[in-house]
Amino acid sequence: MNQPRHSSRSPDTGQAVRAAAARALVPVISGRGSLSNLDDHQVVSRDRSLFKELCFGSCRTLCRLEALAGKLLDKPFKPRDADVQALLLVGIYQLLYMRIPPHAAVGETAGAARLINKPWATRVLNGCLRRLQREAGPLQAEVDRDPAVALLHPKWWLKAFRQAWPDDWRAICEANNLPGPMTLRVNRRHGDRESYLARLDTPDIGARLCLHSPEGLTLDEPCDVGQLPGFQEGLVSVQDEAAQLAAELLGPTLAPRPGARVLDACCAPGGKTAHLLELFDVDLQAIDSDDTRLARVEDTLSRLGLEADLAHGDATRRDWWDGTPFDAILLDAPCSGSGVIRRHPDIKRLRRPSDIAKLAELQARLLDNLWPLLAPGGTLLYATCSVLPEENADQVAAFLARTPDAEVTTPEGVAWGRPAGAGRQLLPSADSHDGFFYARLRKRAD
């Protein structure tokens, strides 16, 4: 695992950033909230990278941190002291996974108890963390006897991955435990990626061309988007390589047909929407049922200088549809997110086994509702950021069995992914991209 380097701060700011991280982690630990809307403005600007690392890193290693905390405490904290528990986890994370000097990790974490109005916990935290310093080796060996702890995933996730991918499940878990790279999508309306790669030389940002996406660049190290040349002018966006393949798959349908009518059925946060508009001169309608996320799509398109017909709409219904068929539909379906755990480590804690069947039922309803909106001869691209067959190959197989005018046109022999029923599956353990599934379906015209 990468070991971020952070110098020690002054006691006040050092304690403040650890207290803020603990507060942010409490909803995740309790299964009531996520890190998706993490507000890093509650700490001073120089501490924001440390704040994010404490939150995401602790979340990524949560199974192991909690197992170690259980060994260090004589008895668990009471539920009302979940913030103290979170501080302890943050302290353990620093000692085991970061290059922060141990005296700073212990002292500033224990001192942060005063900032959450629990000064009594200072002594407890100090004692637990100092014991971990002394007994780190034996304690880690003891908790790692449990495979779920050693692989940093709850048991049900390990079982699901093992059943789905018997030869790859361990590699998938290991990939999930690493931070994802920062990948860019170059806006083809302003030039190609080779030209943009040359522009990155000036601010000395290292990058390489993606293997599979013609617009993709992966940075050697993540950076603030403000450092990227032309970001505000719309020259480039942040998007994983696997997600960029959606527009490529729709290319044979859209490239020869300027003005084609296209639906992006679950469009937020808008990366695929923007990519389609960057590549093709189409009439694009984009809907989403979440107004907050829809506003993000609007902001993205505004920055890129692109236009689409954005509307609030539930893709399981048709009350937003004007009755005119679409030539192409992109259904980026709600899913478990099992292919993007490395970017959203809270998924490991927040998802439940029962969620998978509920999501599969929703995906089936979306497919059945949208298919009649497709013109004869039109194409529907089904996509998820999942690696579970129930949401992918099995889902599409069931749809084909009940939809006689649907035929598969998913490309074969491409360099990315592997065959998975009627589609292709990308795993997060290969080529640095996220886990994704794609199936391209055509409606027969006769």
Side-chain angles (χ1 to χ4, degrees), residues 260-336:
R261 184 168 161 76
V262 181
L263 171 67
D264 187 350
C266 302
C267 67
K272 298 182 186 68
T273 314
H275 197 192
L276 288 172
L277 292 169
E278 290 170 0
L279 293 180
F280 310 115
D281 294 317
V282 295
D283 176 11
L284 194 150
Q285 181 170 6
I287 65 169
D288 202 275
S289 59
D290 186 321
D291 285 332
T292 301
R293 285 164 55 83
L294 200 59
R296 291 178 56 192
V297 181
E298 188 171 7
D299 291 343
T300 295
L301 297 185
S302 177
R303 179 181 64 83
L304 295 167
L306 301 169
E307 292 186 0
D309 179 11
L310 294 180
H312 175 97
D314 181 345
T316 63
R317 304 174 60 174
R318 299 178 192 168
D319 51 358
W320 46 268
W321 184 41
D322 66 3
T324 305
F326 294 99
D327 300 301
I329 295 175
L330 170 59
L331 173 53
D332 187 9
C335 69
S336 64

Side-chain angles (χ1 to χ4, degrees), residues 71-392:
K71 299 293 179 185
L72 295 169
L73 291 166
D74 294 332
K75 59 182 180 180
F77 291 114
K78 296 177 181 176
R80 64 171 180 261
D81 296 322
D83 47 1
V84 181
Q85 167 80 359
L87 259 185
L88 178 57
L89 302 182
V90 166
I92 297 171
Y93 179 74
Q94 293 167 75
L95 288 175
L96 298 185
Y97 295 100
M98 298 185 73
R99 296 179 181 174
I100 292 175
H103 72 274
V106 174
E108 295 182 9
T109 301
R114 287 188 284 271
L115 299 183
I116 60 172
N117 298 318
K118 293 178 179 174
W120 57 265
T122 300
R123 183 175 177 183
V124 179
L125 291 170
N126 192 63
C128 287
L129 295 175
R130 291 199 180 283
R131 182 185 166 198
L132 180 63
Q133 281 185 278
R134 296 191 302 271
E135 304 176 32
L139 288 173
Q140 291 183 88
E142 186 177 352
V143 299
D144 285 346
R145 290 174 191 157
D146 181 348
V149 172
L151 289 169
L152 306 178
H153 284 67
K155 286 183 172 61
W156 80 270
W157 272 122
L158 296 185
K159 181 180 179 182
F161 290 144
R162 189 185 295 114
Q163 288 180 340
W165 302 101
D167 297 328
D168 301 278
W169 69 275
R170 186 177 291 274
I172 291 172
C173 292
E174 291 170 350
N176 289 345
N177 295 335
L178 297 173
M182 185 170 178
T183 300
L184 307 180
R185 184 191 73 241
V186 175
N187 187 345
R188 289 278 286 273
R189 291 185 182 270
H190 295 284
D192 58 30
R193 61 178 181 170
E194 287 77 9
S195 300
Y196 191 79
L197 182 63
R199 291 193 64 177
L200 289 177
D201 283 341
T202 301
D204 196 22
I205 298 176
R208 58 179 170 78
L209 303 181
C210 288
L211 291 174
H212 309 305
S213 170
E215 289 80 42
L217 292 169
T218 297
L219 303 186
D220 294 341
E221 297 289 341
C223 71
D224 188 277
V225 294
Q227 298 176 249
L228 298 172
F231 179 81
Q232 289 302 329
E233 291 73 34
L235 272 60
V236 69
S237 298
V238 178
Q239 186 181 38
D240 184 77
E241 182 182 16
Q244 295 183 33
L245 297 176
E248 305 305 320
L249 283 163
L250 284 172
T253 299
L254 302 181
R257 299 184 61 182
R261 184 168 161 76
V262 181
L263 171 67
D264 187 350
C266 302
C267 67
K272 298 182 186 68
T273 314
H275 197 192
L276 288 172
L277 292 169
E278 290 170 0
L279 293 180
F280 310 115
D281 294 317
V282 295
D283 176 11
L284 194 150
Q285 181 170 6
I287 65 169
D288 202 275
S289 59
D290 186 321
D291 285 332
T292 301
R293 285 164 55 83
L294 200 59
R296 291 178 56 192
V297 181
E298 188 171 7
D299 291 343
T300 295
L301 297 185
S302 177
R303 179 181 64 83
L304 295 167
L306 301 169
E307 292 186 0
D309 179 11
L310 294 180
H312 175 97
D314 181 345
T316 63
R317 304 174 60 174
R318 299 178 192 168
D319 51 358
W320 46 268
W321 184 41
D322 66 3
T324 305
F326 294 99
D327 300 301
I329 295 175
L330 170 59
L331 173 53
D332 187 9
C335 69
S336 64
S338 54
V340 292
I341 286 176
R342 61 182 184 168
R343 300 191 188 279
H344 305 281
D346 48 1
I347 287 174
K348 288 190 284 189
R349 173 55 59 93
L350 300 178
R351 284 285 177 220
R352 297 288 183 269
S354 59
D355 291 343
I356 307 305
K358 294 176 184 174
L359 287 163
E361 190 274 335
L362 172 60
Q363 293 151 5
R365 283 197 290 131
L366 288 165
L367 279 165
D368 291 342
N369 185 62
L370 294 174
W371 189 253
L373 279 56
L374 190 64
T379 294
L380 184 148
L381 182 64
Y382 177 79
T384 75
C385 54
S386 171
V387 299
L388 301 181
E390 300 96 314
E391 303 180 274
N392 298 335

Side-chain angles (χ1 to χ4, degrees), residues 28-58:
V28 179
I29 293 169
S30 62
R32 294 182 287 102
S34 79
L35 295 178
S36 297
N37 299 311
L38 192 67
D39 179 13
D40 62 1
H41 289 85
Q42 57 187 301
V43 298
V44 297
S45 58
R46 68 180 180 183
D47 280 342
R48 285 173 189 163
S49 64
L50 172 60
F51 173 67
K52 289 180 180 177
E53 177 57 32
L54 292 174
C55 292
F56 280 86
S58 297

